[in-house]
Amino acid sequence: MTHAPHGAAPLTFLKGHGTENDFVIVPDPDGLLDLSAADVARLCDRRAGIGGDGLLRVVRSAAHPEAAALADQAEWFMDYRNSDGSIAEMCGNGVRVFARYLQCAGLADAGDLAIATRAGVRGVHIAKDADDGTPGDITVRMGRAVFPDGLVTVSVGDRTWPAVHVSMGNPHAVAFVASLDDAGDLLRAPAVVPAEAYPAGTNVEFVVDRGPRHVALRVHERGSGETRSCGTGACAVMVAAARRDGHDPVHSGHPVTYTVDVPGGRLVITERADGEIEMTGPAVILAQGTVDPVWLSPGIAQHRP
Ligand SMILES: N[C@@H](CCC[C@H](N)C(=O)O)C(=O)O
């Protein structure tokens, strides 16, 4: 039964994941919701809430102050939040799940579309469903990787590894290790030195080789803890592995493709000769429902129509 104080409407949500990086999806086309960090953390709580590694608010770009300038390039803006309520610039798995939501809601068709994010506009391609109805994979043009200057190290317990500093719009520290078990339980964020390299914190990836142009990772995400996948992290790992292996498509003129296994599945990532990184993987919407407004902060209810 739904209680509705002050006539507040229940909050509609959906649940989805991409390689088991899972999200609470909140459609808010006209940008009417005031979602505080505490609201997001409550919705993402796995025991007292819906549960998710993050939250995707679906807002028309024209209705969001951070995206209004992009409205002529992308109708929809992905307002991404980590599960602790913090804001991040970009979420690679989130973009695929966001696109799948638009498709399921009849707001986009299979084929090409553009989605605005805090890291800029991302081109997306939704492949057609297979004959047996399996949803087609989704490819996202993730932009170019940036390698900020300076050496960084990552430590877990008394072990320390050199790491590659990569920006995919959001920050990453990529450490090549002998075994994914070396990362320990990842309950706490690994120590990264120097801290000044990442003034807003960082995501940390631990990587092992599986074969030629095939790696596997575990990740500790800033603001979410260990997750079963991280799309931007997989791209950061791919470019770090490619450089280590002597591949630089911008210089050679030859694209290179890596398979990146994550605990929740597999992503295929290509760095093109123009430096653009393309990530392909699955995206699933699995449930929808409403949240009792009694449980929401007054801030959400107040801003609803
Ligand atoms: N899971 C995401 C990354 C989400 C943001 C990250 N935690 C950050 O704070 O930068 C992905 O798939 O890229």
Side-chain angles (χ1 to χ4, degrees), residues 81-122:
R81 318 286 183 93
N82 289 316
S83 64
D84 68 355
S86 59
I87 286 175
E89 304 86 339
M90 179 56 184
C91 177
N93 291 320
V95 175
R96 296 199 318 280
V97 173
F98 190 101
R100 182 72 80 210
Y101 163 74
L102 294 178
Q103 183 188 26
C104 292
L107 298 167
D109 294 323
D112 295 324
L113 73 148
I115 293 172
T117 74
R118 291 192 175 86
V121 174
R122 296 291 180 255

Side-chain angles (χ1 to χ4, degrees), residues 21 23 53 80 82 86-94 142 170-172 203 221-224 227 229-233:
N21 193 192
F23 306 100
D53 294 328
Y80 172 79
N82 289 316
S86 59
I87 286 175
E89 304 86 339
M90 179 56 184
C91 177
N93 291 320
M142 297 284 289
N170 61 346
H172 296 271
N203 305 286
E221 284 196 39
R222 178 181 66 168
S224 300
T227 62
S229 181
C230 177
T232 50

